[in-house]
């Protein structure tokens, strides 16, 4: 755009002020014109014709053109080509660009009027020049007609791209013809990609203006399975428009809608397309999400190397979530050579940005010596930071450190406090440990019912340690809640989950007939399972079963084998049993 010197702007501005001061009040005809044009836009052609005809007869070229259009197309009036020709000539004679385009088309074959190709060509050129000026004032009709010139190459080089731009501008101003035209293009993939959401959006807008054709198209889309709401379609259209114009935020937003939208919107392959466009421009959120798509194989073939590449781009730009994801790839050796020290590096970068997941994970790495030497002090520091932000895992781990005096002075009270925070958020391990603190009166007064409540919550989540402790709880005489049947049920669940203590206790209950009918074969089975996992008490009791032929054929040799294994682990009963059997043999 050429910018004139400031001085040349002063005189016109002053003239405008003077003119506005001298101008008479708005005439009634101006109001009638607005009303007539409004009726025309909403397809109320009967009212539009009634309001605009007197203005057309008075010489208003805007009214003359609309009257001509209604007569030419049979909108609200019987179709009358000669009468339409009269009005469009009058409007064109006054320099109306849209009228010039319509007059040119009427000189072409098919209008029912004498043909004049040369005159048509000349009129199209004049129409183009006029419309270029008129669109500067936001005239939706001029925008529509300019789009038509570009679409067919009349008076200007054909350009489907420019046609689409002007159709969209006209449609956005409420031009019914432009809205229907755009909708049809998107519905059929004509000069634009086929996009159902865009078609639905424009047909819906046109239908809201009273277009029966548009309403029928909306109904057809619905019948064919379109479930979009108008708001969803509008959002998709807006994002796509910006995305196709190269706006990086719109590209990301469009990708995000296709990635996370409900059924009927979600399209993971499309999400990858738009995330990539934004990612290639350096938009870190798009880089992060594109990495996620490659890592999971969503919308594209799974490619962990590509995931690492995009995570790294975002991580190096400072995105904390990408730093976490890159760290996890290094930790697991996914898409990159396993390197726990690099994992530690990236988790620390994210943790220093207050990323709670990174802080919690960093605590675990320091506590377990992953990628670094064990440093319980550092573990405590990072667990504390994450726990204070509400991280459940960090709250549990911090409680455990206070519980066991690791990395910090032992404190039953603080252990109880942090177990409680994690337990209330549903952490099963914390619920189980909290239950045992209530059971033993550690960090809180001893409360059996509260112990039972929290152990049961953890057990209901399948926490195997809690199941064992719940079984133990129901097995105690002094608590006052002894219930062998419930103890058996808890041990049974824990045993089926593979816990050797539960298996050993379950075997003992079957052997003694406590909480269940006595079944020595079942006892032998569960003792065997626990013994094979190295449980010394189970190994000794299994030796007893074989020594006495309970649930099996008597076998001193097998009994001695199990006694030896238990005795080697320091089990005194097994050592005594082994000595007794050896003495018998010597005799």
């Amino acid at each position: 755009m050429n910018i004139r010197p400031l001085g040349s702007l002063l005189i016109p501005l002053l003239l405008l002020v003077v003119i506005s001061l001298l101008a008479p009040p708005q005439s009634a005809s101006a109001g009638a014109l607005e009303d007539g044009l409004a009726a025309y836009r909403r397809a109320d052609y009967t009212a539009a014709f009634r309001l605009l005809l007197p203005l057309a007869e008075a010489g208003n070229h805007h009214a003359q053109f609309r009257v001509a259009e209604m007569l030419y197309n049979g909108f609200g009036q019987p179709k009358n080509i000669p009468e339409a020709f009269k009005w469009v000539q009058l409007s064109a004679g006054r320099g109306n660009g849209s009228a010039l385009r319509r007059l040119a088309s009427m000189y072409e074959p098919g209008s029912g009027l004498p043909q004049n190709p040369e005159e048509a060509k000349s009129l199209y050129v004049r129409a183009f020049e006029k419309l270029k000026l008129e669109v500067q004032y936001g005239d939706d009709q001029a925008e529509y007609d300019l789009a038509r010139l570009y679409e067919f190459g009349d008076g200007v080089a054909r350009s489907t791209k420019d046609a689409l731009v002007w159709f969209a501008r006209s449609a956005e101003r409420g031009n019914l013809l432009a809205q229907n035209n755009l909708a049809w293009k998107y519905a059929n993939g004509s000069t634009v990609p086929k996009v159902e959401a865009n078609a639905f959006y424009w047909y819906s807008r046109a239908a809201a203006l009273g277009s029966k054709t548009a309403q029928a198209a909306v109904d057809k889309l619905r019948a064919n399975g379109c479930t979009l709401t108008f708001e969803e379609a509008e959002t998709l259209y807006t994002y796509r428009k910006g995305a196709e114009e190269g706006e990086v935020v719109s590209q990301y937003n469009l990708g995000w809608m296709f990635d996370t939208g409900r059924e009927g919107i979600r399209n993971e392959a499309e999400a990858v397309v738009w995330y990539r466009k934004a990612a290639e421009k350096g938009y870190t959120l798009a880089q992060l999400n594109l990495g996620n798509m490659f890592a999971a194989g969503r919308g594209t073939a799974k490619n962990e190397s590509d995931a690492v590449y995009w995570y790294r781009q975002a991580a190096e730009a400072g995105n904390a979530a990408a730093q976490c994801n890159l760290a996890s790839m290094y930790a697991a050796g996914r898409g990159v050579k396993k390197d726990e020290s690099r994992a530690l590096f990236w988790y620390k970068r994210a943790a220093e940005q207050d990323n709670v997941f990174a802080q919690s994970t960093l605590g675990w790495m320091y506590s377990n010596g992953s990628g670094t030497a064990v440093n319980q002090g550092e573990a405590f520091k990072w667990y504390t930071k994450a726990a204070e932000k509400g991280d459940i895992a960090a709250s549990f781990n911090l409680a455990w450190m206070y519980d066991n005096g690791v990395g910090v002075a032992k404190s039953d009270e603080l252990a109880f406090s942090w177990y409680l925070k994690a337990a209330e958020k549903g952490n099963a391990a914390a619920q189980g440990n909290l239950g045992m603190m209530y059971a033993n009166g550690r960090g809180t007064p001893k409360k059996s019912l509260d112990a039972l409540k929290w152990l049961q919550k953890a057990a209901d989540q399948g926490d195997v340690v809690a199941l064992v402790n719940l079984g133990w709880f129901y097995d105690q005489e002094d608590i006052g809640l002894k219930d062998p049947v419930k103890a058996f049920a808890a041990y049974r669940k824990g045993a089926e989950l593979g816990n050797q203590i539960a298996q050993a206790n379950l075997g003992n209950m079957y052997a003694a007939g406590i909480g269940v009918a006595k079944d020595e074969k079942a006892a032998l089975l569960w003792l065997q399972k626990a013994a094979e996992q190295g449980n010394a008490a189970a190994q000794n009791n299994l030796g007893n079963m074989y020594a006495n032929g309970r649930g099996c054929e008597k076998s001193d040799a097998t009994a001695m084998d199990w006694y030896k294994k238990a005795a080697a682990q320091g089990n005194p009963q097994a050592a005594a049993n082994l000595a007794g059997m050896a003495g018998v043999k010597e005799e």
Side-chain angles (χ1 to χ4, degrees), residues 230-548:
F230 176 78
E231 291 73 18
E232 289 169 339
E234 183 177 36
T235 302
L236 283 167
Y237 171 76
T238 302
Y239 286 156
R240 185 181 288 275
K241 183 174 182 292
E244 289 174 345
E245 291 170 358
E247 294 175 5
V248 68
V249 175
S250 294
Q251 290 171 340
Y252 168 76
N253 286 341
L254 186 58
W256 183 84
M257 281 198 75
F258 283 129
D259 183 8
T260 64
R262 63 169 179 80
E263 186 177 350
I265 295 176
R266 190 180 303 114
N267 185 327
E268 292 178 346
E270 277 283 286
V272 169
V273 169
W274 293 107
Y275 278 151
R276 186 188 290 277
K277 288 181 184 293
E280 288 172 347
K281 292 177 180 174
Y283 198 73
T284 57
L285 289 175
Q287 292 169 338
L288 167 66
N289 288 354
L290 186 58
N292 291 339
M293 303 297 274
F294 277 116
R298 292 192 302 110
T300 184
K302 186 172 183 176
N303 189 323
E304 293 181 337
S305 296
D306 281 351
V308 167
Y309 172 80
W310 288 111
Y311 286 150
R312 190 185 305 281
Q313 299 303 306
E316 289 176 348
N319 184 284
Q323 290 167 346
C324 283
N325 288 356
L326 182 59
S328 73
M329 301 298 272
Y330 272 115
R334 294 176 56 200
V336 68
K337 184 178 179 181
K338 185 172 182 175
D339 188 336
E340 292 180 345
S341 65
R342 292 302 294 169
L344 184 81
F345 169 82
W346 285 111
Y347 276 132
K348 194 165 187 179
R349 287 274 300 270
E352 288 167 348
Q353 293 193 67
D354 264 354
N355 182 283
V356 66
F357 177 79
Q359 290 172 339
S360 182
T361 305
L362 199 58
W364 183 90
M365 294 185 81
Y366 277 116
S367 182
N368 291 275
S370 176
T372 183
V374 170
N375 187 330
Q376 300 297 354
E378 279 291 294
F380 175 79
K381 179 182 84 172
W382 290 110
Y383 279 148
T384 300
K385 287 179 181 290
E388 287 174 347
K389 293 182 180 70
D391 185 81
I392 299 172
S395 297
F396 171 80
N397 288 332
L398 186 61
W400 184 89
M401 295 186 89
Y402 278 119
D403 192 0
N404 295 278
V406 175
V408 65
K410 182 177 172 67
S411 170
D412 287 347
E413 290 74 18
L414 288 172
F416 175 85
S417 173
W418 285 108
Y419 278 141
L420 180 60
K421 290 178 189 294
E424 288 174 338
K425 291 179 179 177
N427 183 278
Q431 290 170 343
N433 287 3
L434 186 66
M436 293 309 294
M437 294 195 84
Y438 273 120
N440 295 303
R442 292 178 52 231
T444 183
K446 190 172 184 178
K447 295 180 181 179
S448 297
L449 290 178
D450 283 339
L452 182 63
K453 178 185 81 171
W454 287 108
L455 285 171
Q456 189 65 59
K457 284 180 179 290
D460 288 344
Q461 292 194 67
D463 185 87
V464 69
V465 175
L467 285 164
V468 172
N469 287 335
L470 188 63
W472 169 87
F473 192 88
Y474 281 124
D475 205 20
Q476 303 304 302
E477 293 281 1
D478 58 340
I479 293 176
L481 296 171
K482 186 176 176 69
D483 188 331
V485 173
K486 289 183 178 179
F488 172 83
Y491 285 142
R492 176 88 192 198
K493 288 180 181 178
E496 288 171 346
L497 290 171
N499 182 274
Q500 57 172 280
I501 297 174
Q503 291 169 343
N505 289 346
L506 187 65
N508 293 338
M509 295 188 85
Y510 271 120
I514 298 173
V516 66
K518 187 173 182 177
D519 186 338
E520 292 184 340
K521 287 187 177 180
L524 188 77
L525 170 70
W526 287 109
L527 288 172
Q528 181 95 24
K529 288 180 182 290
E532 287 172 350
Q533 289 196 69
N535 185 284
Q539 289 170 342
N540 176 65
N541 289 345
L542 188 59
N544 290 340
M545 299 291 281
Y546 278 106
N548 294 287

Side-chain angles (χ1 to χ4, degrees), residues 120-332:
K121 185 175 180 181
S122 173
L123 286 169
Y124 277 133
V125 172
R126 287 175 58 198
F128 177 73
E129 295 302 324
K130 287 292 294 182
L131 290 168
K132 279 199 304 181
L133 297 174
E134 290 173 10
V135 295
Q136 295 178 30
Y137 300 100
D139 186 325
D140 64 275
Q141 184 64 46
E143 290 167 338
Y144 172 77
D145 285 304
L146 185 60
R148 297 283 287 181
L149 293 179
Y150 275 118
E151 183 174 32
F152 295 103
D154 292 329
V156 64
R158 185 175 184 180
S159 172
T160 56
K161 180 180 178 182
D162 286 326
L164 186 64
V165 167
W166 290 108
F167 276 134
R169 291 188 186 181
S170 178
E172 285 162 3
R173 293 187 200 279
N175 186 284
L176 187 60
L177 293 173
Q179 290 172 350
N180 270 319
N181 191 299
L182 269 183
W184 185 88
K185 289 179 183 298
Y186 283 117
N188 294 279
S190 175
T191 72
V192 294
K194 189 173 182 178
V195 181
E196 182 183 78
N198 287 6
F200 178 81
Y201 171 65
W202 285 117
Y203 275 138
S204 295
R205 283 194 59 175
L209 290 175
S211 170
K212 294 180 180 178
T213 301
Q215 186 59 59
V218 169
D219 294 341
K220 184 177 180 181
L221 285 168
R222 288 280 188 230
N224 289 334
C226 178
T227 62
L228 291 170
T229 65
F230 176 78
E231 291 73 18
E232 289 169 339
E234 183 177 36
T235 302
L236 283 167
Y237 171 76
T238 302
Y239 286 156
R240 185 181 288 275
K241 183 174 182 292
E244 289 174 345
E245 291 170 358
E247 294 175 5
V248 68
V249 175
S250 294
Q251 290 171 340
Y252 168 76
N253 286 341
L254 186 58
W256 183 84
M257 281 198 75
F258 283 129
D259 183 8
T260 64
R262 63 169 179 80
E263 186 177 350
I265 295 176
R266 190 180 303 114
N267 185 327
E268 292 178 346
E270 277 283 286
V272 169
V273 169
W274 293 107
Y275 278 151
R276 186 188 290 277
K277 288 181 184 293
E280 288 172 347
K281 292 177 180 174
Y283 198 73
T284 57
L285 289 175
Q287 292 169 338
L288 167 66
N289 288 354
L290 186 58
N292 291 339
M293 303 297 274
F294 277 116
R298 292 192 302 110
T300 184
K302 186 172 183 176
N303 189 323
E304 293 181 337
S305 296
D306 281 351
V308 167
Y309 172 80
W310 288 111
Y311 286 150
R312 190 185 305 281
Q313 299 303 306
E316 289 176 348
N319 184 284
Q323 290 167 346
C324 283
N325 288 356
L326 182 59
S328 73
M329 301 298 272
Y330 272 115

Side-chain angles (χ1 to χ4, degrees), residues 41-55:
R41 288 192 185 94
R42 66 175 181 268
D44 185 357
Y45 296 118
T46 301
F49 194 85
R50 175 175 51 80
L51 290 165
L52 293 175
L53 182 60
L55 299 176

